[in-house]
Amino acid sequence: MRGCRWALLQAATSVMLVWPAAGQDARPGSPAPAIDLMSLDGGRVRLADYLGHAVIVTFWASWCPSCRDEFPALAAVSRRHADGGLVVLAVNERDQELRESDIRKFLAEVPVPFTVLIDRRGVSRRAYRLVGLPTTVFIDNAGVIRKVLWGPQPPGELDRAIALILAPQTQRDPGSP
């Protein structure tokens, strides 16, 4: 009987950990939830300011091995598509970090050409209903989420997702306006 209760408690706890918080859905086809955060450099950044641009938003933490592995690929993508108007925003879940110095140390080791935002209170994590890191969201120039990738990705998946937001008109149903 005790084993059964323990299994039920574990199952209930697991559900609570991933149960979505109240807020807007962050799934393909829906408008991207607002982001309004300070950058690591101290400036204020709003996702709405990038309407008209394809945007990749990656949610990460310096202690996350998959996040660390993803950064060089995101930096390369950012450089490769900068002339095409692609914007990359890296939202650090600061409420999940021990120290801001850990973020700066990681970025000194892996310099990136994109903006790093600091989410000190987990506001964006709740708005996007994150259940794990990294989570990478691909938003088209109309502010609509086209793809969400969770966790480490196989080679080529990043490029396939970028194709959805750099040329959204080719990805729509031919019968849609």
Side-chain angles (χ1 to χ4, degrees):
M1 185 66 157
R2 183 174 181 197
C4 183
R5 281 187 288 193
W6 178 249
L8 286 172
L9 179 61
Q10 282 183 314
T13 303
S14 297
V15 170
M16 287 188 288
L17 291 175
V18 297
W19 192 262
Q24 184 176 355
D25 265 346
R27 62 178 180 209
S30 66
I35 293 175
D36 184 352
L37 297 169
M38 298 301 288
S39 73
L40 189 59
D41 297 333
R44 179 167 227 91
V45 176
R46 293 173 186 85
L47 180 59
D49 293 342
Y50 296 103
L51 197 59
H53 293 272
V55 179
I56 297 173
V57 179
T58 187
F59 297 92
W60 70 287
S62 67
W63 49 262
C64 166
S66 297
C67 301
R68 295 173 76 88
D69 291 345
E70 181 182 64
F71 259 55
L74 286 171
V77 161
S78 179
R79 288 183 190 100
R80 188 168 61 239
H81 295 289
D83 291 341
L86 179 68
V87 174
V88 177
L89 300 173
V91 178
N92 180 274
E93 296 305 315
R94 176 59 184 91
D95 66 321
Q96 305 286 310
E97 295 275 1
L98 291 176
R99 296 173 296 274
E100 194 166 298
S101 62
D102 293 336
I103 301 166
R104 292 183 185 281
K105 180 180 176 190
F106 169 68
L107 292 172
E109 296 167 9
V110 183
V112 293
F114 47 79
T115 303
V116 174
L117 306 177
I118 305 298
D119 187 356
R120 287 185 169 81
R121 296 194 174 121
V123 173
S124 62
R125 180 172 38 81
R126 288 187 298 279
Y128 280 78
R129 298 180 178 191
L130 299 184
V131 294
L133 298 175
T135 296
T136 306
V137 181
F138 298 80
I139 304 166
D140 70 16
N141 59 6
V144 175
I145 296 172
R146 293 294 166 201
K147 183 88 172 168
V148 179
L149 299 176
W150 297 276
Q153 298 301 311
E157 189 60 30
L158 191 59
D159 289 329
R160 284 189 285 279
I162 289 168
L164 295 173
I165 61 173
L166 286 181
Q169 65 278 3
T170 63
Q171 304 301 320
R172 292 191 182 126
D173 178 30
S176 66

